[in-house]
Amino acid sequence: MSEFELPKDFGKLIESTYDQAFKSGDIVFNESTSEIIEDEETEIQFNLTLATGLAKKPTPEDSPEQIKRPKDFNPFLNPDPKLTVIANYANKFNILLNKFPITPNHILLTTKEFKSQNSPLSPEELIASLRILDGLEKSSTKNEKFFGFYNCGENSGASQPHKHLQFLRYPDNFTPFPNLLAAKDEAFIASANKEPLQDKNLPFAHFLLPLPKSKEKLYDEEYLALAFSSLLQRTLTILRDTESPVAYNVVITKKWLLLVPRSNAIYKNVLGINSAAYTGLILAKNEELYQLIKDVGPLEILKELGFASTADQPTDEYHY
Ligand code: B4P
């Protein structure tokens, strides 16, 4: 049995932990409203969410008196047992509930020991993520689809420095753009002969690989390490020629892996954008920001916080 095997009742375990933590007030659930809009030119879907309660959420800049805990409090080191779904997963991780969710059962994969959120994903972190996605989808009676995401580096939208990935459900009737792109090819590792997939209609650089359908290959550490590093090389090649620190978003599903280099975390100094936005889920914490997203258009915002697309460039033999 693999050390990454999850309990058969993984979904139920998440739900019961969530229900208890919610009842005891250890989860701060924020009500939200959502709508799906479509970009006129590309027909790409975006799910816009308005969650005004989040504006009151404590931030690392709040004073210790305000939030009644030490300034450098790390919620992922010795995590709260009431928020813990599985402690010591594969001897290296914890699977936790997000304390401030907008959708129920939002979970996090955190490293047991402190590791930096600026470090690339390890093969074990990729395998654990795929297992979690598999566990979530198998537990769903409604054929729901899930994604994992990792906000890496200063400009990526991360707020916690302790390494963590997050897992969310895609909204119903929503097609994220990478699904359409990944469906165009079989699984491959990017090489000097074949660049990762990039949608020409999108105005920001992004690198996507379809993942293998066979379970043996999908859960193969070496394969995943090569796939991730081939995307990271392209990401670092873009960042190499700029003044920007290393920052990128990772989105993973059971079907594909996506990396997006980031130039900035916040649009016009008001709207924070993380990995979820680069798979089409955009969050606003007040009405003005919600309207701003609609007025400017999600693609324009994503363009400004990323880098120019390289879809038209010929294959470059030297990446980073
Ligand atoms: P980070 O990678 O550091 O940053 P983030 O997702 O952008 O979250 P942030 O904290 O900045 O949240 P925001 O108000 O923008 O993730 C840190 C994670 O740890 C977060 O999930 C955070 O909530 C969680 N956390 C913090 N303290 C904790 C504690 N004591 N115990 C357990 N978990 C703790 O957004 C609020 C939430 O909405 C975030 O979770 C965010 O990922 C999620 N979200 C963003 N866009 C979304 C969208 N379009 N739809 C649905 N959810 C979305």
Side-chain angles (χ1 to χ4, degrees):
M1 197 173 102
S2 155
E3 58 180 336
F4 293 99
E5 199 88 28
L6 285 163
K8 286 227 160 26
D9 62 348
F10 182 52
K12 286 210 175 86
L13 191 59
I14 297 172
E15 264 172 43
S16 58
T17 315
Y18 181 89
D19 287 346
Q20 279 180 27
F22 182 76
K23 274 188 204 131
S24 60
D26 291 289
I27 293 261
V28 185
F29 182 78
N30 283 285
E31 295 293 341
S32 62
T33 53
S34 285
E35 69 178 307
I36 294 177
I37 60 166
E38 209 174 85
D39 180 69
E40 271 175 29
E41 230 169 88
T42 60
E43 296 181 1
I44 286 172
Q45 288 189 330
F46 287 94
N47 181 77
L48 308 191
T49 299
L50 174 63
T52 49
L54 277 177
K56 291 183 231 112
K57 188 179 128 181
T59 70
E61 287 75 42
D62 288 330
S63 72
E65 297 73 41
Q66 268 172 303
I67 52 178
K68 299 189 182 68
R69 61 181 191 219
K71 184 103 186 107
D72 295 326
F73 173 69
N74 176 354
F76 305 147
L77 200 63
N78 308 315
D80 184 346
K82 294 197 212 85
L83 297 177
T84 304
V85 180
I86 298 181
N88 200 23
Y89 173 54
N91 292 318
K92 294 170 192 75
F93 304 108
N94 292 310
I95 300 179
L96 309 177
L97 292 171
N98 178 359
K99 190 172 177 65
F100 305 101
I102 305 168
T103 47
N105 309 334
H106 177 162
I107 57 171
L108 312 173
L109 174 74
T110 61
T111 55
K112 236 170 72 178
E113 311 297 334
F114 180 84
K115 270 173 94 179
S116 167
Q117 187 74 3
N118 294 342
S119 61
L121 291 178
S122 69
E124 287 168 336
E125 287 155 0
L126 291 163
I127 291 204
S129 299
L130 288 167
R131 291 278 183 174
I132 289 175
L133 291 165
D134 187 55
L136 290 167
E137 293 188 355
K138 278 203 180 117
S139 308
S140 168
T141 51
K142 290 180 260 164
N143 197 26
E144 295 162 317
K145 297 293 171 215
F146 294 81
F147 65 99
F149 64 99
Y150 180 55
N151 302 320
C152 182
E154 191 178 317
N155 286 334
S156 68
S159 57
Q160 295 292 340
H162 182 131
K163 200 168 195 183
H164 62 280
L165 284 107
Q166 308 186 47
F167 299 86
L168 282 177
R169 183 175 78 78
Y170 277 118
D172 298 332
N173 306 317
F174 179 77
T175 309
F177 83 85
N179 276 14
L180 305 172
L181 191 57
K184 291 188 175 152
D185 218 326
E186 295 297 318
F188 69 96
I189 308 269
S191 68
N193 300 322
K194 189 162 178 180
E195 287 298 308
L197 305 181
Q198 200 170 171
D199 185 339
K200 283 196 173 59
N201 293 316
L202 290 174
F204 55 88
H206 57 283
F207 304 109
L208 182 123
L209 288 180
L211 290 176
K213 291 188 179 72
S214 94
K215 270 198 165 176
E216 290 77 56
K217 253 195 169 174
L218 186 63
Y219 296 133
D220 181 273
E221 283 199 20
E222 205 174 321
Y223 186 93
L224 288 173
L226 283 172
F228 182 81
S229 69
S230 73
L231 298 182
L232 185 59
Q233 280 172 0
R234 270 82 187 163
T235 301
L236 294 178
T237 299
I238 289 204
L239 290 158
R240 179 185 61 191
D241 301 327
T242 70
E243 302 280 293
S244 297
V246 171
Y248 54 94
N249 291 137
V250 181
V251 184
I252 183 167
T253 68
K254 279 177 69 190
K255 295 208 165 109
W256 46 260
L257 178 63
L258 171 74
L259 262 70
V260 181
R262 292 290 303 274
S263 59
N264 205 326
I266 307 177
Y267 181 73
K268 307 276 183 226
N269 282 326
V270 287
L271 176 69
I273 290 288
N274 74 11
S275 303
Y278 283 88
T279 187
L281 275 65
I282 306 202
L283 177 67
K285 296 182 185 173
N286 64 47
E287 304 269 359
E288 291 75 47
L289 292 178
Y290 196 81
Q291 200 50 48
L292 176 78
I293 299 166
K294 284 187 141 180
D295 292 346
V296 180
L299 281 179
E300 184 56 34
I301 294 171
L302 300 185
K303 176 182 164 192
E304 185 140 339
L305 303 182
F307 289 93
S309 167
T310 59
D312 288 331
Q313 287 178 14
T315 299
D316 178 357
E317 288 199 9
Y318 173 56
H319 286 289
Y320 201 65

